[in-house]
């Protein structure tokens, strides 16, 4: 299939899109329809000359927003649509052509991702209504981690909770970990070992990947487990919930809200969830910002050290995501916390590898694991998986 793929990432009040041609170097039309459902819905993005545009949306629902997105595609027609779907449960282990049965199965997994899957399905419904003739493909955030062995995905809970309710570790950010580990393999041509990948953005997760297979990852049943994130706590003592309920009388909704939206970098610093702002504040002596950065980096390193157990040998570490791609400070602190890995950071290369640059930032000692910064491309990966599925070859 040589036509462009329209990649859709649909939230409850937003649609992120990108039109991706078969030629990876062709310019991308991409943008965001936001505040859908409100009176100030807007569409903004970049046109084919890379010029930004922004305009008010006349209608405010998902179908109208998609119509406006289509109007903005400068006459190009997609040959297929690739949808980012957050949770595929155990059923979906790879990209899948969408039909009624697949929609019903995604609805069934909504219990595991009540905020995300129904919103993703709104995008599927709207695009099926608008382009009934086009093939639509679901690409799941969880699918890449379906290769985890039971020792990595099972919680030490009663078996019935797994068997009857699907309570296990699933992992997320799969398209990102898949993309950067595949790229690291292509850049390095090493054999036998594996990569630790660190996706550090507003959401953060690590993964251990060997030969294109995810062997362990830091997120679990939900995207709350694992690392410190922008506003999410990551790992806490599982006894915390009952402690807060008993001592402070907090209802579950409040605990959930605090752990998901009031914790992480924001909670620790008392200032902001944004790493760039935290770095500036820390530089000026803000103690909360300094602590937030310290905890964040230590927890990334601790998670990488833990996940290294999944690999027979460490080929290297890959940093990606808004923080991983742009913060030499965070990368340096993470590496400094792993002296026993024998890493050698090239500080000049580290400082220079920012703003979307791909680069190797280790000192190139032949025996040392490699350190890569690889800008992630989740949309590109979704388009590629969509294309490969429709072309009949496995991704
Ligand atoms: P993402 O969710 O991948 O878009 O990443 C968002 C995070 O990346 C936010 O915490 C930003 O502050 C952070 N980020 C972006 N640029 C920089 C930068 N130059 N230095 C530090 N953090 C950055």
């Amino acid at each position: 299939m040589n036509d462009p793929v329209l990649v859709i990432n649909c939230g409850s009040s937003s649609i992120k899109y990108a039109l991706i041609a078969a030629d990876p170097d062709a310019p991308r039309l991409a943008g965001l329809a936001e505040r859908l459902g409100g009176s100030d819905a807007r569409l903004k993005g970049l046109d084919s000359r890379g010029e930004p545009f922004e305009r008010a949306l006349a209608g405010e629902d998902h179908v109208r927003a998609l119509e406006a997105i289509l109007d903005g595609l400068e006459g190009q027609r997609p040959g297929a649509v690739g949808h980012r779907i957050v949770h595929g449960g155990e059923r979906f282990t790879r990209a899948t052509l969408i039909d009624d049965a697949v929609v019903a199965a995604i609805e069934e997994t909504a219990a595991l991702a009540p905020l995300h899957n129904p919103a993703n399905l709104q995008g599927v419904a709207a695009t099926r209504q608008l382009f009934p003739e086009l093939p639509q493909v679901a690409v799941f955030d969880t699918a890449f981690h379906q290769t985890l062995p039971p020792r990595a995905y099972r919680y030490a809970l009663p078996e019935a909770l797994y068997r009857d309710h699907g309570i296990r570790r699933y992992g997320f950010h799969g398209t990102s970990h898949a993309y950067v580990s595949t790229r690291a393999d292509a850049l390095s041509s090493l054999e036998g070992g594996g990569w630790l990948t660190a996706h550090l953005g507003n959401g953060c997760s690590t993964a251990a990947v060997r030969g294109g297979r995810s062997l362990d990852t830091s997120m679990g049943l939900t995207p709350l487990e694992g690392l410190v994130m922008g506003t999410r706590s990551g790992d806490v003592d599982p006894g915390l919930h009952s402690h807060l309920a008993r001592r402070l009388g907090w209802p579950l909704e409040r605990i959930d809200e605090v752990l998901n939206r009031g914790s992480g970098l924001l909670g620790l610093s008392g200032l902001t969830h944004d790493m760039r702002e935290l770095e500036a504040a820390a530089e000026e002596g803000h103690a909360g910002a300094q602590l937030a950065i310290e905890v964040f980096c230590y927890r990334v390193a601790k998670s990488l050290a833990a996940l290294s157990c999944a690999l027979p040998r460490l080929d290297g570490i890959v940093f990606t995501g808004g923080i991983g791609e742009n913060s030499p400070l965070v990368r340096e602190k993470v590496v400094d916390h792993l002296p026993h890995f024998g890493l050698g950071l090239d500080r000049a290369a580290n400082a220079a590898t920012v703003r979307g640059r791909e680069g190797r930032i280790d000192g190139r000692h032949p025996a040392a694991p490699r350190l890569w910064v690889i800008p992630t491309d989740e949309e590109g990966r979704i388009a590629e998986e969509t294309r490969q599925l429709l072309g009949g070859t496995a991704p």
Side-chain angles (χ1 to χ4, degrees):
M1 199 203 51
N2 286 321
D3 293 330
V5 175
L6 180 63
V7 175
I8 298 283
N9 181 355
C10 188
S12 57
S13 64
S14 68
I15 302 176
K16 211 171 153 197
Y17 72 92
L19 187 73
I20 302 188
D23 172 3
D25 297 326
R28 287 181 187 180
L29 294 170
L32 173 74
E34 60 182 354
R35 301 187 214 142
L36 304 179
S39 54
D40 55 349
R42 307 196 70 72
L43 176 66
K44 54 188 186 186
L46 294 178
D47 66 20
S48 58
R49 295 181 309 279
E51 295 291 326
F53 68 83
E54 178 166 349
R55 60 191 168 84
L57 285 176
E60 59 200 32
D61 68 2
H62 285 68
V63 175
R64 296 269 187 81
L66 271 168
E67 279 171 343
I69 288 169
L70 273 191
D71 281 348
L73 296 183
E74 302 178 9
Q76 297 190 62
R77 297 290 297 178
V81 184
H83 292 272
R84 176 191 182 214
I85 307 286
V86 166
H87 216 308
E90 287 190 323
R91 157 103 184 241
F92 295 106
T93 59
R94 51 168 297 172
T96 304
L97 194 62
I98 296 177
D99 58 17
D100 291 343
V102 168
V103 169
I106 297 171
E107 270 164 4
E108 276 169 32
T109 48
L112 293 167
L115 295 181
H116 293 102
N117 274 23
N120 299 157
L121 281 176
Q122 267 183 293
V124 172
T127 33
R128 287 180 97 198
Q129 187 179 327
L130 279 181
F131 319 104
E133 73 290 357
L134 284 190
Q136 317 245 353
V137 172
V139 179
F140 299 91
D141 252 26
T142 48
F144 182 59
H145 301 300
Q146 278 295 305
T147 47
L148 261 59
R151 63 171 178 266
Y153 73 67
R154 284 293 296 276
Y155 291 115
L157 291 170
E159 209 258 335
L161 288 177
Y162 168 62
R163 193 184 58 233
D164 301 337
H165 302 286
I167 294 179
R168 52 159 281 179
R169 307 183 65 251
Y170 289 95
F172 298 86
H173 291 143
T175 43
S176 181
H177 291 293
Y179 174 79
V180 299
S181 59
T182 304
R183 182 86 191 121
D185 276 336
L187 288 164
S188 301
S189 63
L190 298 170
E191 274 177 27
W195 299 99
L196 294 174
T197 51
H199 177 106
L200 309 177
N202 283 321
C204 299
S205 66
T206 48
V209 185
R210 182 175 186 222
R213 292 167 68 83
S214 176
L215 297 178
D216 202 353
T217 188
S218 61
M219 282 178 169
L221 175 72
T222 74
L224 185 56
E225 187 175 330
L227 304 177
V228 172
M229 310 183 211
T231 63
R232 286 175 245 164
S233 63
D235 290 341
V236 291
D237 186 325
L240 177 69
H241 294 68
S242 52
H243 181 80
L244 292 175
R246 271 196 228 108
R247 298 286 299 184
L248 306 180
W250 285 11
L252 262 185
E253 293 69 30
R254 178 154 183 204
I255 298 173
D256 217 34
E257 173 72 17
V258 166
L259 294 184
N260 277 291
R261 296 191 212 288
S263 298
L265 294 172
L266 172 66
L268 275 166
S269 68
L271 191 65
T272 171
H273 69 279
D274 188 285
M275 182 58 86
R276 202 172 356 193
E277 290 172 23
L278 284 175
E279 287 187 15
E283 182 81 23
E284 286 169 14
H286 189 287
Q290 289 167 351
L291 177 71
I293 295 170
E294 287 308 314
V295 177
F296 180 90
C297 295
Y298 178 66
R299 290 272 293 275
V300 173
K302 194 164 138 175
S303 174
L304 293 173
L307 290 195
S308 71
C309 295
L311 300 175
R313 198 189 64 232
L314 178 60
D315 286 339
I317 298 174
V318 183
F319 292 95
T320 193
I323 299 171
E325 292 166 27
N326 291 298
S327 175
L329 177 78
V330 168
R331 296 189 301 240
E332 180 175 333
K333 282 181 178 291
V334 170
V335 168
D336 283 350
H337 282 306
L338 295 165
H340 47 305
F341 275 15
L343 306 167
L345 184 72
D346 177 334
R347 284 169 208 271
N350 184 37
T353 310
V354 289
R355 282 187 287 281
R357 283 216 196 115
E358 180 178 88
R360 196 170 155 187
I361 57 168
D362 61 88
R364 299 182 184 246
H365 188 285
R370 299 178 183 197
L371 296 169
W372 279 101
V373 177
I374 299 180
T376 196
D377 184 10
E378 290 169 279
E379 282 95 4
R381 173 84 189 190
I382 290 172
E384 188 188 315
E385 290 195 30
T386 299
R387 214 176 275 290
Q388 283 174 333
L389 179 70
L390 297 173
T393 50

